[in-house]
Amino acid sequence: MTEPSIEAHLPLTPLSIHVLLSLVDEERHGYGIMKEIEQLTEGRGMTATGPVYLAAQRLLESGLIAESAKRPDPEFDDQRRKYYKLTELGRLVAVAEIERMASLVGVAFEKKLVEGKISISSH
């Protein structure tokens, strides 16, 4: 059973789960998050700058992501860029959301809404 603090964040919007997924393996700035979403969705999840930054701001305010002081290359990096990292709460919420979505996919198969096998590509 998940903690109430985790469940209070569910369900996530598609953009929010994409932002969290983009931060699982490394810290990124806003444009880096957008490029990662584009790659993760094979171009189907392209989004404008504004919504990504608004989603990041909401995730920041809710404690699912945090600003990072770390800079990949301090000498050449634009100091105005804000880098974000996934918090432990953000990781737990992302896991809970993926589990919730997987359960829904399972129901869709049980009800024969979709048949066959789902192809899971690795990125």
Side-chain angles (χ1 to χ4, degrees), residues 16-84:
S16 291
I17 190 63
H18 280 105
V19 170
L20 294 179
L21 286 171
S22 75
L23 297 172
V24 167
D25 52 353
E26 69 180 75
E27 298 174 8
R28 299 179 196 280
H29 52 74
Y31 183 71
I33 290 171
M34 285 178 43
K35 296 310 279 180
E36 179 69 3
I37 291 171
E38 188 176 319
Q39 182 180 356
L40 290 172
T41 63
E42 298 174 343
R44 292 183 308 271
M46 292 177 60
T47 185
T49 306
V52 170
Y53 283 101
L54 285 173
Q57 186 60 38
R58 283 191 300 271
L59 293 168
L60 188 64
E61 290 169 0
S62 64
L64 302 183
I65 66 173
E67 278 191 49
S68 172
K70 186 176 172 185
R71 295 281 178 192
D73 191 347
E75 186 175 334
F76 296 105
D77 191 42
D78 185 340
Q79 293 301 310
R80 295 172 295 181
R81 283 184 174 162
K82 290 182 182 178
Y83 280 78
Y84 301 98

Side-chain angles (χ1 to χ4, degrees), residues 13 25 53 55 87 105:
T13 65
D25 52 353
Y53 283 101
T87 63
V105 170

